[in-house]
Amino acid sequence: MKKVILCVLALAAMFSLVEAAPFQTLGMLRTPDAYVLPHLAAELLLVGYYRDVAAPGMPAWVAADADLRDKWENSHKGFFPYGMVGVGILNRVELGVFAGDYTEEDGMVYFMNAKVKVLEETLRIPQVSIGMDNILSPSPKHRAQDLEQGDDFVTHPDRDSYEYYSPYLVGSKQFMLFGIPWMYNLGVGSNRFVGQVSRSRIINGLFTSMELSPVRDLSLLAEYDGEDFNAGIKYSFKNFGIKVAAAAIEDWAKGNEGNGY
């Protein structure tokens, strides 16, 4: 199994005539929500991503060659920055551009995201949106596990996260419970939202996330992204926010034994 620890320090600045543009428009951590930015509002997301992947996460043909194994481990361990910019259109559409996670082996990752609000949230019904992630992603195939020696991204530890043209449908609802504000998201998607091993495919393509705010401006985040469990903390101040999170937290309970993805 791969062992990926994500330490995110995300600084998001929103510039808009609307003072209270929602911070969580680009989603929770690795999953989308149904909310879109207000018309002409913009969001800038800067992320410091620390990745440390255990040896079983690499392809077998890389593990069998000592030189390739050392090169793989050195090029995919450490700090990898990236950024994302999103903009809202007509209070119904959100477009985003992603770039970063550069590695010597695979170069720069880049793609676009698009989300369209289908149903607006009311007191009784959730907000519903459809979207497409990883538009024009350089990852060459829908299923990362189908990549073969010589393909781009075949040795990238997060190759499954960059599977191109990943559609989804998601619903989001905000509510109060025990005097605490909550937000719950539930969705289904394809490609990057589908797990790479049999146990992940039991609930094939389903993802869910939850946010609660026990203290003003401080939120706790938890999600299942279709493959991994992720958790984090968010602090908001006016139009700025900071998130610190970890991905694939279930791997902390595992050793380094495993067979690829």
Side-chain angles (χ1 to χ4, degrees):
M1 286 295 296
K2 68 177 182 177
K3 187 174 181 64
V4 179
I5 297 178
L6 173 67
C7 184
V8 177
L9 182 59
L11 177 62
M14 289 165 280
F15 308 92
S16 170
L17 296 177
V18 180
E19 177 70 17
F23 172 77
Q24 64 269 20
T25 39
L26 290 178
M28 297 284 284
L29 300 172
R30 287 193 164 189
T31 58
D33 58 36
Y35 300 106
V36 298
L37 282 168
H39 182 54
L40 298 183
E43 183 176 59
L44 171 64
L45 185 72
L46 302 177
V47 177
Y49 181 98
Y50 180 77
R51 179 167 54 225
D52 186 356
V53 183
M58 69 180 67
W61 57 270
V62 174
D65 186 304
D67 291 336
L68 287 178
R69 184 171 64 249
D70 290 343
K71 184 178 181 181
W72 186 91
E73 290 176 341
N74 291 333
S75 63
H76 294 102
K77 178 179 180 179
F79 177 83
F80 299 87
Y82 67 75
M84 184 178 291
V85 177
V87 62
I89 302 173
L90 300 176
N91 296 318
R92 184 165 293 273
V93 178
E94 182 175 332
L95 301 177
V97 178
F98 173 103
D101 198 3
Y102 174 86
T103 66
E104 183 179 343
E105 299 255 324
D106 303 300
M108 180 78 74
V109 179
Y110 54 86
F111 53 77
M112 294 179 61
N113 294 331
K115 180 164 54 174
V116 179
K117 180 174 64 177
V118 176
L119 192 63
E120 189 160 0
E121 182 179 21
T122 70
L123 288 175
R124 294 182 178 274
I125 63 174
Q127 181 143 315
V128 178
S129 293
I130 58 173
M132 180 78 73
D133 280 6
N134 298 3
I135 300 169
L136 302 178
S137 170
S139 182
K141 292 183 179 178
H142 285 311
R143 283 163 53 98
Q145 62 189 26
D146 292 338
L147 294 175
E148 300 175 350
Q149 187 173 354
D151 288 338
D152 292 339
F153 286 85
V154 66
T155 61
H156 198 295
D158 290 326
R159 53 192 177 272
D160 52 321
S161 296
Y162 301 132
E163 293 180 3
Y164 62 46
Y165 296 101
S166 300
Y168 64 86
L169 169 70
V170 62
S172 299
K173 190 74 182 74
Q174 301 182 63
F175 56 93
M176 295 289 293
L177 183 63
F178 304 118
I180 297 175
W182 294 67
M183 180 177 69
Y184 183 74
N185 309 293
L186 178 64
V188 60
S190 185
N191 300 331
R192 87 163 183 90
F193 300 103
V194 176
Q196 301 293 311
V197 295
S198 57
R199 63 178 173 274
S200 298
R201 294 180 181 273
I202 295 175
I203 49 176
N204 202 25
L206 291 177
F207 61 87
T208 185
S209 59
M210 181 175 59
E211 174 180 332
L212 68 151
S213 302
V215 179
R216 181 182 175 87
D217 297 328
L218 184 68
S219 299
L220 305 179
L221 315 174
E223 69 178 17
Y224 173 70
D225 62 17
E227 178 180 7
D228 295 314
F229 291 93
N230 315 312
I233 299 174
K234 179 180 75 176
Y235 177 76
S236 302
F237 177 72
K238 295 185 178 180
N239 283 349
F240 296 87
I242 294 176
K243 291 181 182 179
V244 179
I249 58 176
E250 72 277 8
D251 285 354
W252 289 350
K254 303 172 186 175
N256 289 337
E257 301 300 323
N259 297 304
Y261 279 117

